[in-house]
Amino acid sequence: MDYNNQEAIVGATITLVGTKAKGSVSDNQGRFRLEVPSSTSRIQIQSLGYKPQTIRADECATIRLNPMTLELEDLVVTASRDAQKRSDVPAAISTLSPKRMEQYRPSRLDEVLNSVPGVYMSPLGGEQHMMSIRQPISTKSLFLYLEDGMPIRPTGNFNHNALLEMNMAITQSVEVLRGPASSIYGSEAVGGAINMITITPEGQFNGNITARVSDRGFYRSDVTLSGKNNKLGYALGGYVARQIDGVRDHSDMEKNAISLKLTYDLNDKTELWSTTSIIDYRADMSGSLDKENFESEEYSTLYTFTERLAKAFRQRLQIDHQWSTYSKTSVAFVYRNNISDQTPSYRIKNNRQDPLKATGEMNENHFQSYVFWLQHVQKLPALKSTLRIGGNIDYSPMTYFAERIDITRNEDGIYTSFTRPNVTLLDYETDINNKALYSQLDIRPLNKLKLVLGLRYDHFGYQFDNNLKAGDNISGDDNDHQSKITPRAGLTYDFGNDRILYANFSQGFIPPSVNEIYRKTAEKQNLNPARFNNYELGTWLKFLDGKASLDLSLYWMRGKDEIISVYDEVRGFINNNAGSTEHMGIEYGLSYKPFSLTEIRLSGNISKHKYLKYFEAKSNTEGQVIRSDFDDNDMPGAPSWVNNLSVTQKMPFYSNWTWLIEWQHVGPYYSDNANNSEYKGYDVFNLRSNCRFGRISVWAQLLNLTDKLYATRVSNSGWGEKYTPGAPRTFLVGIEYRFGGNR
């Protein structure tokens, strides 16, 4: 238990000193069981945020751990696909611990993810979102979404909104690796990687039942249970979420998610584990608002039938074998089966001749994946180094079908109904093949200095089969194969007393998608991957006698060969590797604990994102091609300052009752490439309160405390400025009951 407030410490690790035994983990009541040879055996107790303690087994009555004033997160796995000390990682990485997740009690991931330095996740309704990490707010495939280190979707299949297919109920922590990580994970890890880490089954049977409801038509119920019985561990988690009759018309959402994780100790060196997840999601796509409706707080929508559906099934089977203290091999097999159906609002285009008519699209994307992954970790004590080598094969056959819909509008501009004229827009099958090999070498030439060198080779190909007859604007069957080598180099220097300096160079890349290669012209377009080179310098340190900690990173990144639409006199509008961009900024995270019951957290980033070489080519109503150059312009959707400040206070008379007040600031940014339209940004305040009474926890949240009118995203196109409104003041309450464990 905690030395100061006598609270049970959940998830503490207890190991037998001087042996290779796996040890034990404390349950929800702080209890644990560990078999030892004798009463004089020595055991070590460790828990994040507490000073480690070593005692004799016969002293195990009640163990009180002294809290560290502030901690730097101890172990991370995302930076190398293997557990290592955070101080050994030459990269910007942050962890949302179970403690932080409990403080925020998020209903959506953005509610807690925006407290991470350098991260801004923009909600779009339901669990749909945009993301910004070292890039402007975007739906592009610039961010990689992982579950226990495995990508949620295959390379080449648009991964925006991949978080729809995640199960927050079985997620115990989240790691965010900022900056390119292609040397370890491959494509799309450009702005960063978000790794959802699932529950580790340990301890006796325990679980919880949670319910929450808001005054804006949202409710969600969760059930989680886990435990370990001898060699078999299990964790089952799921939730049902609904948004009904919310602030905006046609903004309903339904999600059902369930996951099962099983672990089995084949022997003291080999563990077999599996996870199975089933996700069923549907949400209206209520679209954005024009400026007039946004400013008048008219939250209706023009779209009455647009929607997004996602069904996902994932199965992972993995074997981890510890050959010796210095050698470990992991092998995993993954199967994915996904269906995404859309009637998207962003595909609707008005008829310029008839204001009561428009056209749109219905589409379906279905893919299956068969993945093999292998990694071996070899420690070389004589050379003071660790070698990680691995590879994967990902075969993902995909189908895509899209048909036109003809839409009727009323005099108020509302899209009221549609018909299906049986006009096929796209109908193709693509076999996506990705093969990769990677290695990472960690060397410690000096006790305080560590060097990290990484290299990855990717070979990916598309076997494209078009079910439409080749002709005008229709590509024929084709093969496309490309390869890419991505390096990484970094170093860390430990000055002692929790003061770490690091520097790195890393590279990220994005392969062209199937649509970019084939959709815009009858001829195949020869496109190369877009490349991003990142240079970074950072530090983690404690000061003020351990009462404060700082996480600081400076980065400069340049994108090359970015794909943009250009005009060719023979082929018309085509895609080409003709764009380049520049990104630079400072990311900061500051924690200060002036008193034992008070903690202040400040995080954010100051950044600059601009075009180096970028232009648009469009045709006007007369058929003339107009070129617009945006060289040296700021990129749209790129606020120069994003900041999150929170103050957490435990009540002195009852430490199980906490209050958290939060300030989220998003600075001004341009909404168009020409830099003619600017959104002023916003400031929103949130208030959260949590209280625990034994096995029961209750919480209340007042989100958007001042009822601020704000937009989570503003964009500008030829159809005018569009606003995605943030939620007005929302009141939410929740209750949780924990069961099981020793009483």
Side-chain angles (χ1 to χ4, degrees), residues 466-709:
N466 203 329
N467 295 324
L468 299 179
K469 183 179 179 181
D472 293 340
N473 295 321
I474 299 178
S475 301
D477 297 348
D478 191 72
N479 278 315
D480 187 83
H481 293 273
Q482 300 189 37
S483 59
K484 188 76 179 72
I485 296 176
T486 47
R488 174 191 181 194
L491 62 87
T492 64
Y493 191 84
D494 188 349
F495 290 91
N497 298 321
D498 294 315
R499 295 176 299 164
I500 308 296
L501 180 70
Y502 74 88
N504 79 56
F505 164 77
S506 58
Q507 192 174 91
F509 74 96
I510 308 173
S513 68
V514 176
N515 280 349
E516 289 172 328
I517 297 175
Y518 299 106
R519 181 166 183 163
K520 286 198 172 184
T521 178
E523 299 180 25
K524 170 189 171 183
Q525 300 178 71
N526 295 313
L527 299 173
N528 297 315
R531 297 176 292 125
F532 295 81
N533 294 325
N534 179 77
Y535 303 86
E536 183 174 347
L537 180 68
T539 184
W540 308 315
L541 57 91
K542 290 182 183 178
F543 55 101
L544 296 180
D545 295 326
K547 292 183 178 180
S549 68
L550 176 66
D551 181 346
L552 186 67
S553 57
L554 293 81
Y555 70 90
W556 178 76
M557 179 163 56
R558 177 168 287 189
K560 299 180 180 180
D561 294 334
E562 297 188 51
I563 298 172
I564 62 176
S565 179
V566 302
Y567 182 75
D568 182 275
E569 292 184 355
V570 177
R571 295 186 291 170
F573 290 97
I574 63 172
N575 289 319
N576 203 348
N577 294 107
S580 60
T581 56
E582 184 179 62
H583 316 265
M584 62 183 72
I586 301 173
E587 299 164 336
Y588 55 88
L590 176 66
S591 296
Y592 178 48
K593 201 165 185 180
F595 312 105
S596 61
L597 301 179
T598 306
E599 184 174 3
I600 302 170
R601 285 182 175 268
L602 175 67
S603 65
N605 67 91
I606 301 170
S607 60
K608 179 80 169 178
H609 307 272
K610 71 175 185 177
Y611 294 121
L612 297 179
K613 183 180 179 182
Y614 208 84
F615 61 87
E616 285 181 356
K618 295 182 179 180
S619 58
N620 60 20
T621 55
E622 287 77 31
Q624 299 172 317
V625 176
I626 307 298
R627 171 170 166 153
S628 302
D629 289 284
F630 304 118
D631 295 1
D632 296 322
N633 280 18
D634 287 349
M635 298 178 70
S640 58
W641 184 33
V642 176
N643 190 73
N644 184 281
L645 173 66
S646 67
V647 179
T648 304
Q649 178 66 52
K650 292 186 176 183
M651 295 293 97
F653 53 86
Y654 191 65
S655 61
N656 287 336
W657 185 11
T658 63
W659 289 84
L660 187 151
I661 187 165
E662 176 188 38
W663 166 47
Q664 176 72 50
H665 170 79
V666 175
Y669 58 85
Y670 291 111
S671 61
D672 63 334
N673 287 329
N675 292 178
N676 291 326
S677 301
E678 185 181 46
Y679 177 55
K680 299 300 183 183
Y682 66 86
D683 296 277
V684 166
F685 295 88
N686 302 311
L687 183 64
R688 295 176 169 90
S689 180
N690 295 271
C691 194
R692 181 152 56 92
F693 307 94
R695 294 180 177 269
I696 296 176
S697 297
V698 295
W699 67 92
Q701 300 175 353
L702 197 56
L703 307 178
N704 192 359
L705 183 64
T706 62
D707 203 18
K708 172 76 173 181
L709 174 65

Side-chain angles (χ1 to χ4, degrees), residues 173-218:
S173 62
V174 181
E175 289 183 2
V176 181
L177 177 62
R178 306 189 299 278
S182 290
S183 65
I184 194 76
Y185 289 107
S187 70
E188 298 168 346
V190 173
I194 298 174
N195 192 8
M196 311 278 281
I197 299 171
T198 58
I199 293 171
T200 300
E202 292 288 357
Q204 297 187 21
F205 171 75
N206 65 89
N208 60 69
I209 300 174
T210 302
R212 69 192 81 193
V213 61
S214 82
D215 63 340
R216 299 293 184 179
F218 174 81

